[in-house]
Amino acid sequence: MTPPHLHLPPTDRLLSSRTGWTRAHWEVTADRMLDALVPYATPGFAQYRLPGRASWSGVVSDGLEGYARSFLMAAFRIAGARGDVDPKLIERYAQGLVTGTDPASAEAWPKLTDCSQQMVEAASIAVGLHETRPWIWDKLDTRVQERVVDWFSGFVGGRTWDNNWRLFQVVSEQFLASVGAPYNRSDIESNLDRIEDWYVGDGWYTDGDGRNFDYYIGWAMHLYPLLWSRIAGPDDDGGRTEIYRQRLSRFLEDYPHFFGSDGAPVHQGRSLTYRFAALAPVWMGALADCTPLAPGLTRRLASGTLRHFVERGVPDERGLLTLGWYDTFLPSTQPYSGPASPYWASKAFLGLLLPADHPVWTERELPLPVEESDQYTALPAPGWLLHGTRHDGIVRLVNHGSDHNPPAADDATETGPEEEDPHYAKLGYSTATAPEAAPHASARTVDGHLALLAPDGTPSRRRRIHPLRCEDRLASSWYAARLPGDDRAYRIETTSVLHGPWEIRVHRVEAPQGAVVREGGHAVAHSERPHASSGPGWAMARTADGLTSAVVALYGWDTEEATGTAGDADRSGVARDVQSNAYGPHSAVPYLRSCPRPSGPGVHVSLVALSRDAVHPEALRTSVAVRADADTVVLTFLDGTTVTV
């Protein structure tokens, strides 16, 4: 249900049969969120110092972040209404510019220095100033305009981090150019040239060197180049805009498959506290007139996602966005996340720049792909399979390609000091679950992982993912497993096969003498303690609202499982935790565990289920026949389909 404190308009089930939301719902939500910030503004409105954990950049930087990121939302609201908004909204952000750029003010913004957090925030201010130029910039006193230019000039010739940050310099210096201020053209050109190195095809970039695939591809790598082109204009873009439009169009062909029928996006990657910022590329496709999505699908996707969060308490009763997913949950944030960081979610309101009579606001909603049929989408560039099931509306992401690690000099032998990130290292993510992310849970690494266990129980880590194949309903990769006190790296190769609503995982495992293999399914979480059950070769966890995660041993876990005898019941189970999951305080992960193994290679095959249907593990065991030899595994399903791995 929609929280009463938002006071939303009545739903319109004729225009929006699936969400009931219209443009008015977006405007009211934006207004409520912007008004809620006022009590936390400094006297001159240059900073918004929100409650919550501070970032590593300090309170002044966090206050600037509050101004800059909320200014994005305010700018889209002001420009989308052609200035016909509460005058106080315009006055607040204009006054913030006056105060923040005054070096003598106690609220003065930190100077722009190389690789400083204020570079990120400056880009939001630049975009906001461009979009609201007739109502804010053009009405500023000349001395204030000069101070704003002086502040932005810290970008000229400056150095940013070698990832999406390069685009903050691009849009900010282009803003300087647009107001006739000094700027460095080579800064813009070299940064735009640099992102070409990260384009990997099919609409996908990696965010910097390595295999860094997540929502930053949409809310940064696709968004800022086209925001830049809006500032530069068609006569000063060097022909780049058309390339960016084509790439975004290709990206959006697959993008609706990331969203469940309840509007939830797949829960994967960093900075998830930005939440519905994942809608930015959807709106930009419409704004840049390059979207392959029908107008009714664009609005259904966008309104469904915003409504999903609103109905789950986002923003909260104060009208604020907290550091978390639904409620506050710090393990889903990063050390650079401050109390105003979630307001990058402002990018979701980009669609307000489209006029009220645009087809995305006037045409009837269309269903999401997962609402029409079961979906199987292979994305070779990031190494992902997307798997949506119509009957429960869940979308699952099978990960064989994104690990968020720097590139290795020698991928085959690298040991690497880095720990795995639970938001990248798992085999599976979904729209209904989140990984176990608290430090104490991450140390055990149960969910979404095939691990070797050392004698003391320490699991191997899936740090660097080496993609092998991704096509149709099959994807595979390998990782180098290491155990304490053992200098060897043991290759664990996994192939995921999708069939019906299930994922079959075929693992070829190298292991030392006596090692134990453990396989974990999806973590489910709820406000109530999930129900857990297990038996010979299977384990299952179910939440109070009927979401079930299960793992079923099909082959190779030990000799007893083939006959289903009771001796292996202690080798399957459910790991529980508290305060470790973004979806709820009580979480549970079903897992399988093998007998101590002989040294050398072996094969383990399991079925992984995540469903809102009733799940019967013993029946699932009979749904797939497995035949294996030294080189291949043949899976035969009840419908006669055969897959050879």
Side-chain angles (χ1 to χ4, degrees):
M1 296 292 293
T2 301
H5 63 264
L6 279 178
H7 305 295
L8 293 175
T11 56
D12 184 340
R13 291 293 176 178
L14 181 62
L15 178 65
S16 304
S17 60
R18 295 180 180 270
T19 70
W21 276 40
T22 65
R23 181 186 176 96
H25 289 78
W26 284 80
E27 292 173 337
V28 169
T29 303
D31 289 344
R32 169 61 178 136
M33 292 173 66
L34 290 166
D35 289 344
L37 295 171
V38 175
Y40 304 96
T42 51
F45 294 100
Q47 299 178 32
Y48 290 85
R49 297 187 175 181
L50 302 180
R53 185 202 66 190
S55 77
W56 60 16
S57 297
V59 65
V60 176
S61 175
D62 290 350
L64 165 61
E65 188 172 64
Y67 174 91
R69 298 191 179 198
S70 64
F71 183 35
L72 267 184
M73 187 187 304
F76 299 150
R77 181 73 177 95
I78 293 165
R82 305 300 299 167
D84 186 16
V85 295
D86 184 345
K88 293 181 180 177
L89 178 63
I90 298 174
E91 292 167 6
R92 288 200 298 270
Y93 285 94
Q95 181 59 46
L97 289 165
V98 174
T99 310
T101 59
D102 181 0
S105 168
E107 303 171 38
W109 297 336
K111 292 182 178 180
L112 290 169
T113 55
D114 288 353
C115 298
S116 60
Q117 181 63 33
Q118 44 269 33
M119 284 184 160
V120 185
E121 314 319 326
S124 292
I125 297 173
V127 171
L129 285 173
H130 172 74
E131 299 296 345
T132 61
R133 185 163 180 165
W135 305 283
I136 294 182
W137 176 262
D138 289 347
K139 295 184 178 180
L140 291 176
D141 182 274
T142 301
R143 290 172 297 176
V144 176
Q145 290 181 339
E146 290 173 349
R147 291 208 309 262
V148 172
V149 165
D150 286 344
W151 186 71
F152 272 106
S153 295
F155 260 120
V156 179
R159 181 175 64 87
T160 74
W161 297 117
D162 193 29
N163 54 17
N164 68 85
W165 279 47
R166 286 181 172 268
L167 296 171
F168 305 146
Q169 187 171 29
V170 166
V171 297
S172 297
E173 291 205 44
Q174 192 64 53
F175 171 73
L176 288 174
S178 73
V179 297
Y183 73 105
N184 189 334
R185 183 73 186 187
S186 66
D187 286 347
I188 296 173
E189 296 293 338
S190 63
N191 285 329
L192 292 176
D193 288 343
R194 179 61 172 136
I195 71 170
E196 296 302 309
D197 298 334
W198 302 326
Y199 185 69
V200 296
D202 292 337
W204 283 89
Y205 294 87
T206 174
D207 181 13
D209 293 334
R211 297 191 60 82
N212 305 320
F213 301 106
D214 53 29
Y215 286 109
Y216 273 85
I217 310 311
W219 65 41
M221 305 306 294
H222 279 296
L223 180 67
Y224 284 101
L226 286 167
L227 289 173
W228 163 78
S229 73
R230 286 174 64 83
I231 303 173
D235 298 329
D236 197 29
D237 72 347
R240 295 182 188 264
T241 298
E242 185 55 32
I243 294 172
Y244 300 147
R245 292 176 72 251
Q246 292 172 6
R247 290 176 181 174
L248 177 56
S249 179
R250 176 64 187 89
F251 178 77
L252 289 174
E253 288 179 23
D254 299 319
Y255 200 56
H257 295 278
F258 282 82
F259 296 81
S261 61
D262 63 355
V266 170
H267 194 95
Q268 180 274 340
R270 66 192 173 100
S271 300
L272 289 170
T273 192
Y274 302 159
R275 300 175 174 100
F276 33 84
L279 300 173
V282 178
W283 286 124
M284 179 51 82
L287 194 63
D289 194 23
C290 63
T291 183
L293 310 181
L297 178 56
T298 294
R299 188 175 78 259
R300 190 270 174 269
L301 194 164
S303 292
T305 297
L306 183 57
R307 177 173 175 160
H308 174 85
F309 284 99
V310 165
E311 290 182 338
R312 288 157 181 80
V314 182
D316 68 10
E317 68 282 355
R318 300 166 297 178
L320 300 180
L321 299 179
T322 60
L323 282 166
W325 185 244
Y326 299 135
D327 203 348
T328 300
F329 185 70
L330 296 181
S332 66
T333 67
Q334 284 68 43
Y336 56 73
S337 303
S341 291
Y343 284 83
W344 244 29
S346 297
K347 296 176 179 182
F349 292 85
L350 185 70
L352 292 178
L353 292 178
L354 295 162
D357 60 357
H358 191 281
V360 298
W361 296 118
T362 61
E363 292 194 8
R364 297 188 68 182
E365 284 184 347
L366 297 176
L368 292 170
V370 74
E371 293 178 298
E372 295 192 294
S373 63
D374 289 356
Q375 300 289 317
Y376 305 91
T377 307
L379 302 173
W384 288 343
L385 297 178
L386 291 172
H387 177 205
T389 42
R390 180 177 180 272
H391 67 275
D392 57 14
I394 296 173
V395 172
R396 306 153 195 82
L397 185 155
V398 182
N399 176 31
H400 287 279
S402 182
D403 59 21
H404 202 248
N405 282 318
D410 182 352
D411 281 347
T413 59
E414 146 133 33
T415 57
E418 70 276 1
E419 290 296 317
E420 85 278 30
D421 185 326
H423 293 96
Y424 295 91
K426 306 299 183 183
L427 282 162
Y429 299 91
S430 84
T431 58
T433 62
E436 299 284 77
H440 67 271
S442 296
R444 296 188 298 165
T445 321
V446 180
D447 61 303
H449 184 46
L450 191 287
L452 298 182
L453 299 182
D456 65 355
T458 301
S460 61
R461 309 287 186 174
R462 192 184 187 220
R463 293 182 175 125
R464 186 174 303 283
I465 300 172
H466 302 261
L468 296 172
R469 180 183 179 188
C470 183
E471 58 187 0
D472 193 24
R473 302 185 188 185
L474 185 150
S476 58
S477 63
W478 68 273
Y479 83 93
R482 292 177 173 82
L483 295 173
D486 189 337
D487 293 334
R488 286 194 58 188
Y490 299 94
R491 180 178 171 119
I492 296 181
E493 181 176 323
T494 299
T495 298
S496 296
V497 178
L498 304 181
H499 186 82
W502 319 121
E503 178 192 353
I504 313 301
R505 293 179 185 166
V506 179
H507 308 282
R508 186 180 187 276
V509 179
E510 295 178 351
Q513 180 72 34
V516 171
V517 177
R518 187 187 64 199
E519 166 102 80
H522 290 271
V524 292
H526 197 266
S527 58
E528 300 177 24
R529 196 169 186 257
H531 173 76
S533 56
S534 61
W538 64 269
M540 183 168 68
R542 185 179 70 251
T543 62
D545 58 1
L547 178 65
T548 300
S549 172
V551 288
V552 180
L554 299 179
Y555 179 90
W557 286 91
D558 63 39
T559 56
E560 295 169 337
E561 284 174 354
T563 60
T565 58
D568 56 2
D570 63 340
R571 287 189 288 277
S572 58
V574 175
R576 295 185 179 276
D577 218 321
V578 293
Q579 303 297 338
S580 65
N581 196 289
Y583 271 70
H586 297 280
S587 56
V589 183
Y591 66 85
L592 305 172
R593 192 171 59 204
S594 76
C595 296
R597 287 174 35 105
S599 62
V603 173
H604 300 262
V605 183
S606 54
L607 183 150
V608 177
L610 178 69
S611 179
R612 296 193 188 279
D613 279 345
V615 175
H616 303 280
E618 294 286 6
L620 288 177
R621 187 195 298 280
T622 66
S623 68
V624 189
V626 181
R627 187 175 74 255
D629 58 30
D631 300 313
T632 61
V633 171
V634 179
L635 307 174
T636 303
F637 297 91
L638 287 178
D639 63 3
T641 302
T642 298
V643 178
T644 300
V645 177

